[in-house]
């Protein structure tokens, strides 16, 4: 599923916009190549996937929750086209992705040993993992 950027008519548009401060700080410490291949899992409402795609990266936003993926798709259904791929899968099962195919895997607000193992498998040699867990905001 590929989507386009919306014109902000969604009443809850803020949940789709902008990367978290921690995520942005992490990005200042890594050297992503231009058009990096990135996996955001679980992507939730896609705030990081959208942000990264808008900056020219090739991103897959994955989540088990079809409702959230539909919300992202609906949010991006009109306006400027961006190439954001969405995938539905359970982060607690083997990921249906090719090994060593991502420059960055982002796991935000999700804690799972299995997801960390799968992220390691999905990362290219020299790739980066951003792992942000729950905390006080």
């Amino acid at each position: 599923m590929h989507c386009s950027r919306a014109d902000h008519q969604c009443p809850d548009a803020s949940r789709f916009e902008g990367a978290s401060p921690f995520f942005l700080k992490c990005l200042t410490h890594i050297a992503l190549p231009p058009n990096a291949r990135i996996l955001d899992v679980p992507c939730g409402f896609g705030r990081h996937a959208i942000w990264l795609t808008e900056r020219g990266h090739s991103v897959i936003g994955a989540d088990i929750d079809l409702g959230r993926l539909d919300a992202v798709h609906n949010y991006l259904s009109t306006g400027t086209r961006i190439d954001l791929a969405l995938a539905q899968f359970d982060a607690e099962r083997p990921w249906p992705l090719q090994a060593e195919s991502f420059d960055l895997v982002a796991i935000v607000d999700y804690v799972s040993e299995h997801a960390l193992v799968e992220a390691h498998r999905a990362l290219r040699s020299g790739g980066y993992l951003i792992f942000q867990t729950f905390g006080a905001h």
Side-chain angles (χ1 to χ4, degrees):
M1 171 184 320
H2 291 271
C3 305
S4 301
R5 174 79 181 178
D7 58 2
H8 303 290
Q9 294 178 1
C10 173
D12 296 338
S14 64
R15 69 180 171 183
F16 298 100
E17 295 193 3
S20 71
F22 176 81
F23 191 85
L24 293 173
K25 184 175 182 177
C26 289
L27 289 176
T28 67
H29 295 285
I30 62 177
L32 283 176
N35 196 31
R37 187 151 160 79
I38 299 171
L39 175 64
D40 179 11
V41 60
C43 70
F45 291 108
R47 66 187 280 204
H48 296 103
I50 292 167
W51 191 90
L52 289 160
T53 301
E54 289 175 333
R55 281 143 186 86
H57 298 294
S58 176
V59 181
I60 296 175
D63 205 289
I64 191 173
D65 188 331
L66 187 57
R68 288 181 183 214
L69 294 173
D70 284 346
V72 174
H73 177 73
N74 291 337
Y75 175 72
L76 298 174
S77 64
T78 62
T80 305
R81 183 160 173 76
I82 62 173
D83 190 20
L84 172 58
L86 299 173
Q88 183 186 24
F89 64 81
D90 184 350
E92 291 303 311
R93 297 205 174 285
W95 295 358
L97 304 166
Q98 184 176 352
E100 300 180 17
S101 57
F102 293 94
D103 299 299
L104 169 67
V105 174
I107 301 174
V108 177
D109 292 340
Y110 187 73
V111 179
S112 164
E113 183 178 344
H114 181 79
L116 292 174
V117 169
E118 287 293 318
H120 182 262
R121 186 186 66 79
L123 282 169
R124 293 180 176 153
S125 178
Y128 300 96
L129 170 66
I130 295 178
F131 177 74
Q132 178 180 344
T133 189
F134 303 97
H137 298 289

